Amino acid sequence: MRVHLTIVAAVATLLSSIGLYPLFEGTGWAWSGVGAIATVAAAGALSRRLRLPAVADSPVALFFLLAYLTLRYAPGQALLGAVPTPASLARLAELAGEGWETANRYAAPVPPGPGIELLATSGIGAVAVMVDLLAVRLRRAAAAGLPLLALYSVPAAIREESLSWVAFALGAAGFLWLLLIDSREQTRAWGRPVPPRSAAARRIRPHPMASSGNRVGLAAVAIAVAVPTVVPGVHPRGPFGLGAGAGESGSQTVTTPDPLVSLKRELTRQSDEVVLVYRTDDQAPDYLRLFALDRFDGDHWTYSPLQSSPRDRITEGRPLPAPPGLSAVRSRPVTTRISVASHVRNMNFLPVPYAPAMVSIGGDWRVHAPSLMIYSLRDEAAGRTYTVSSLRAEPTPRQLAQAPSPAAEVLRRYLGVPGDLPPQVRRLTEQITAGARSQYEQARRLQRWFTTGDRFVYDTSAIAPRATSDLVDFLLVNRRGYCEQFAASMALMARLLGIPARVAMGYTSGTQAPDGRWVVRSRDAHAWPELYFEGAGWVRFEPTPAGPGGQGSATVPSYTRESGEDNRQPQASAPDAAEPSPSQAAQTPDATPGAGRLADRDAPQAGREMAADAADGGGPFGWIAAGLLTALVLSAPMAARSLARRRRWAQVAPAGAAGRRLAGGGRGGGQAPSDPGAAAHAAWRELRAEAIDHGLAWRSGESPRATARRLSRTLEPGSPAVAALERLARAEERARYARVPAPADTLGEDIRIVREAFGAAVDRRTRWRARLAPPSTMEGLREGAARFAADLGRFDARRLGVVLRRVFRR
């Protein structure tokens, strides 16, 4: 039956399944997986007990696994609650379909449910079947590592964040135990092993090749755990996991489908469905923003990768981070209650009026502090109703015109343009803004140039720009496009003028219904440029034409209009001239949300920005903790050596101050040990450790007198250390062979003298190694690991049964 190996194979599968923990909420899947593993192990043992052929092992195990799944998830449709029937199989298929839909809908960790638990349990059970077949029936324990590795590959493929080293170490330990037991089972085929009962037999060391496999396995596990932990840049949260977000459960990169594709789909949708409705205390509500795209890589606008961690989670009643740059202009609070239609799909970012100050919503929603985008890793906005308290800035033209220069970090991040930008674009930008006395005036002239005259045609059938040449063609050649082209072009031209700019995407304010509600439809999807002015923060501009010939619900912000202009004025007629005309009236522009794809480009600058975002708010505490942990690890051998010395003497030393002096090897005799023989053995073991620490050979087959004579050759002849060595050897000989042990009141002082003499006899490097990283400590660890491996090898099912019976009796 190979009960021992069957149990170990099941335990190895159980330990490896722990690596699936990041994929699910709750622990229901884990307990269900335990039952599946136990069922498969019992089925395998039964198959071998009945001496069925090897080809029958897997079918029997799979049938028992199916019966277990039926009993757990479809007992009402099964025969006797566990025997599968067509109805129970249909129910399991239905649950599996629900679980598959949930897995595709939510990001990890997915919410609990019977469908998800069924998929997880089925996968764990299938791995258990393969491990049992390979390791137990076919005796290929090494090959069983492949299905165990599959349990780690699933979270590694789905999640950006790396797996916990604890989970990996547990799974690796289970696999090594499986290899060890398999090798011992095969060795037992040679006959019954003779246990090493005597001390002499226990001192006989096996051939070096016998323990090489264990050493290689343990070293491989240690390297696999340590290297990603301590090498900067490999672990996503920094060395020892104490980088950005230290103390949290980890961070991961936020990814979404391309919002520009969604923008074009909504603008061209024939049904013009209602996306959301809202009520607000704002008489003229502003746009509802979803995304802020801060990077232009020469192909399209994107946003820098967001590193999300639990510290970004929105909590009821807790204010959001302050809007960047909003410090000097007047702002007023606005409250908006938004209801998103239930048919909306893949809306993982919340549409909110800028700048949100507090959000009340259920679920796991988070905020990106630099942009104030609100998103979720697994929830969707569909069917939700939430309340947003926001600050609406009301800058005056004078304040924007007199805004000071932004901080260097803002300029570095929001002024990037591609190096291959054609010079015609720069010349056109300078021509349009010639004579402007401030950056605000330059921005107004750009907006007016796009929205006045008949030089541009609003056309939703135009192809979305996917390269710099597409934007150049839009600006200089065909001048036909929709909000994506208008917003992207103005933001690019603003950056050429030294104005920090980005592209925002979301919805216009929509239209107001008779009952006071505002209704936002798919045609209200929009993109617009946001320009940064110190003191006012991010300010919306509108370069897209409005009215019947443009984006119908777009509005021109009041701070960009001259007196007398209307914010929804239809497109005016003007000559088709490339140069701007300051006398032309600014029109109501409209920008549809299509300003750049949310793809993660591996640009060096983006990498630096991502690292800066991840480290934002982390402070030096993570690195301080890492330094303390490093110091603790480095001092562990020295501390272990000191602890071993004290424990060795404490077993034989008397209580009180004299006992403490003897345990520390200090000066003075104090009281004599309670057991001179035990004290002599302890002193001899301490002498052995000191010799190993100082690089001196220790031969276990030598007598105490021969050992003292050989070690004396390394010391100065006639020195007190030689005499101390002789006294230690005599005490050990009498403790071994004499009826009455020698007095032990000077052993602590003798050890101290010998230790100092050993230190003086070796070079400085060896002396410091003996203090900081004593080799005897490592030898003790090796001996402890060997004893632990031997205990595992002697473990069998009968002893497990005895232990379980004792537990249940209690």
Side-chain angles (χ1 to χ4, degrees), residues 492-785:
L492 176 61
M493 298 170 84
R495 288 192 174 190
L496 292 175
L497 297 171
I499 306 174
R502 66 189 185 189
V503 173
M505 294 179 56
Y507 296 92
T508 64
S509 53
T511 56
Q512 191 171 20
D515 61 357
R517 296 183 305 162
W518 290 81
V519 181
V520 176
R521 301 178 179 273
S522 58
R523 65 167 178 258
D524 297 318
H526 197 48
W528 62 93
E530 291 182 341
L531 277 56
Y532 184 88
F533 293 90
E534 191 65 38
W538 290 102
V539 177
R540 177 175 72 86
F541 282 77
E542 188 52 278
T544 304
Q551 220 287 356
S553 56
T555 58
V556 175
S558 60
Y559 45 80
T560 67
R561 298 194 306 268
E562 296 181 0
S563 59
E565 286 185 298
D566 180 73
N567 70 332
R568 288 181 182 267
Q569 174 177 340
Q571 184 173 352
S573 173
D576 184 7
E579 66 275 10
S581 175
S583 62
Q584 292 174 341
Q587 291 295 350
T588 27
D590 155 54
T592 56
R597 187 169 31 177
L598 302 181
D600 179 7
R601 301 286 178 173
D602 295 329
Q605 179 182 355
R608 291 193 298 270
E609 292 171 2
M610 182 176 62
D613 289 347
D616 186 25
F621 303 106
W623 290 103
I624 293 175
L628 294 176
L629 183 58
T630 302
L632 181 63
V633 171
L634 294 178
S635 62
M638 180 173 54
R641 177 72 178 91
S642 177
L643 179 62
R645 179 185 298 121
R646 291 182 176 275
R647 289 184 60 188
R648 186 172 292 138
W649 287 109
Q651 297 174 359
V652 297
R660 288 193 295 270
R661 285 197 298 271
L662 182 59
R667 299 181 184 274
Q671 295 178 343
S674 57
D675 186 352
H681 293 318
W684 192 250
R685 289 194 296 270
E686 182 65 21
L687 176 64
R688 176 181 179 274
E690 293 292 347
I692 294 174
D693 290 342
H694 290 87
L696 304 176
W698 186 271
R699 301 169 185 172
S700 56
E702 286 184 333
S703 65
R705 189 173 304 181
T707 300
R709 187 182 308 114
R710 181 173 51 81
L711 294 178
S712 298
R713 301 192 189 103
T714 62
L715 306 176
E716 183 178 353
S719 64
V722 174
L725 265 177
E726 293 177 354
R727 288 193 294 271
L728 290 169
R730 284 197 300 269
E732 176 64 12
E733 282 185 340
R734 293 191 58 175
R736 289 185 186 182
Y737 310 119
R739 183 175 301 175
V740 179
D745 48 351
T746 64
L747 294 181
E749 180 68 13
D750 291 337
I751 287 293
R752 185 192 63 80
I753 294 174
V754 173
R755 181 189 307 122
E756 294 177 355
F758 282 168
V762 298
D763 57 77
R764 181 180 302 176
R765 178 176 176 274
T766 304
R767 184 162 57 250
W768 280 105
R769 185 190 65 177
R771 296 176 182 174
L772 302 178
S776 62
T777 302
M778 298 305 300
E779 185 179 68
L781 292 177
R782 287 195 297 269
E783 292 179 351

Side-chain angles (χ1 to χ4, degrees), residues 291-314:
F291 307 100
L293 313 180
D294 60 339
R295 290 170 48 201
F296 183 64
D297 58 8
D299 290 336
H300 49 263
W301 284 87
T302 69
Y303 63 68
S304 300
L306 310 183
Q307 289 297 315
S308 179
S309 67
R311 72 167 181 264
D312 303 321
R313 186 175 289 118
I314 293 176

Side-chain angles (χ1 to χ4, degrees), residues 295-570:
R295 290 170 48 201
F296 183 64
D297 58 8
D299 290 336
H300 49 263
W301 284 87
T302 69
Y303 63 68
S304 300
L306 310 183
Q307 289 297 315
S308 179
S309 67
R311 72 167 181 264
D312 303 321
R313 186 175 289 118
I314 293 176
T315 304
E316 185 78 22
R318 190 179 70 180
L320 303 183
L326 180 56
S327 59
V329 305
R330 178 179 176 270
S331 62
R332 55 184 173 88
V334 174
T335 301
T336 308
R337 186 163 180 81
I338 303 173
S339 297
V340 181
S342 58
H343 62 76
V344 175
R345 291 290 178 265
N346 300 323
M347 185 180 283
N348 302 106
F349 282 62
L350 284 186
V352 295
Y354 189 81
M358 189 176 297
V359 178
S360 176
I361 186 173
D364 182 9
W365 292 88
R366 308 184 182 195
V367 60
H368 179 241
S371 64
L372 292 181
M373 289 189 292
I374 299 173
Y375 61 92
S376 178
L377 299 175
R378 64 173 183 266
D379 294 327
E380 292 187 9
R384 292 182 180 270
T385 298
Y386 54 96
T387 303
V388 183
S389 300
S390 56
L391 294 175
R392 183 166 184 181
E394 295 182 332
T396 64
R398 180 188 182 93
Q399 289 173 323
L400 296 177
Q402 297 178 353
S405 178
E409 172 61 22
V410 176
L411 297 176
R412 182 194 68 81
R413 182 167 184 175
Y414 298 102
L415 289 183
V417 295
D420 59 348
L421 189 67
Q424 300 96 305
V425 178
R426 190 178 299 272
R427 286 198 299 267
L428 176 63
T429 304
E430 293 172 352
Q431 185 181 13
I432 294 171
T433 59
R437 292 171 295 180
S438 65
Q439 290 188 334
Y440 163 70
E441 182 62 28
Q442 290 176 325
R444 268 207 332 174
R445 291 193 180 189
L446 287 177
Q447 175 179 278
R448 186 183 304 124
W449 183 77
F450 279 106
T451 56
T452 58
D454 58 357
R455 61 179 63 91
F456 286 98
V457 176
Y458 184 85
D459 184 5
T460 57
S461 65
I463 299 175
R466 284 295 176 265
T468 304
S469 58
D470 295 335
L471 289 179
V472 173
D473 185 68
F474 167 74
L475 288 171
L476 302 176
V477 183
N478 62 21
R479 293 184 176 178
R480 179 181 296 271
Y482 57 99
C483 55
E484 177 180 349
Q485 286 91 332
F486 287 97
S489 298
M490 180 172 175
L492 176 61
M493 298 170 84
R495 288 192 174 190
L496 292 175
L497 297 171
I499 306 174
R502 66 189 185 189
V503 173
M505 294 179 56
Y507 296 92
T508 64
S509 53
T511 56
Q512 191 171 20
D515 61 357
R517 296 183 305 162
W518 290 81
V519 181
V520 176
R521 301 178 179 273
S522 58
R523 65 167 178 258
D524 297 318
H526 197 48
W528 62 93
E530 291 182 341
L531 277 56
Y532 184 88
F533 293 90
E534 191 65 38
W538 290 102
V539 177
R540 177 175 72 86
F541 282 77
E542 188 52 278
T544 304
Q551 220 287 356
S553 56
T555 58
V556 175
S558 60
Y559 45 80
T560 67
R561 298 194 306 268
E562 296 181 0
S563 59
E565 286 185 298
D566 180 73
N567 70 332
R568 288 181 182 267
Q569 174 177 340

Side-chain angles (χ1 to χ4, degrees), residues 162-214:
S162 62
L163 191 68
S164 167
W165 68 268
V166 177
F168 171 79
L170 289 174
F175 180 56
L176 290 177
W177 188 17
L178 180 62
L179 293 177
L180 174 64
I181 298 304
D182 178 69
S183 64
R184 290 184 179 273
E185 290 285 339
Q186 295 189 27
T187 303
R188 287 178 179 176
W190 293 88
R192 183 177 179 179
V194 179
R197 299 184 182 277
S198 64
R202 285 194 297 268
R203 286 197 295 269
I204 300 176
R205 296 183 178 273
H207 192 274
M209 290 300 294
S211 58
S212 60
N214 296 337

